[in-house]
Amino acid sequence: MAAPEKVKGPASYFPSIEKTYGQPMDRWFSLVRQQQGKKHMEIVNWLKAEHGMGHGHANAVVAHCLAQAKP
């Protein structure tokens, strides 16, 4: 029986983000989607300033959302 595949990339931060900030990932994704038209770092800085998120966590959320939005 094969071991489960380890989560990589931005998604590897999701359990820690949910635990640290007390909100499900869908909430963070929704907030980021509301910032459409802004650049990656603008959204990262917004999450940090408005929601107290650390840089690595904010970057992971934004990177995941923007990657999902690309066709």
Side-chain angles (χ1 to χ4, degrees):
M1 183 181 206
E5 190 173 322
K6 187 172 181 171
V7 176
K8 298 178 184 175
S12 67
Y13 287 90
F14 296 172
S16 178
I17 292 169
E18 289 181 332
K19 182 178 178 184
T20 302
Y21 306 105
Q23 297 290 329
M25 291 311 301
D26 285 340
R27 167 86 170 130
W28 297 115
F29 299 151
S30 175
L31 289 171
V32 169
R33 283 192 297 271
Q34 292 173 21
Q35 302 299 310
Q36 74 184 88
K38 293 185 180 177
K39 294 181 180 179
H40 179 104
M41 286 308 298
E42 290 175 318
I43 303 170
V44 168
N45 290 331
W46 175 79
L47 283 171
K48 291 167 59 175
E50 294 297 319
H51 297 281
M53 196 173 271
H55 181 82
H57 285 165
N59 192 56
V61 173
V62 174
H64 178 79
C65 285
L66 294 181
Q68 296 298 312
K70 291 184 179 179

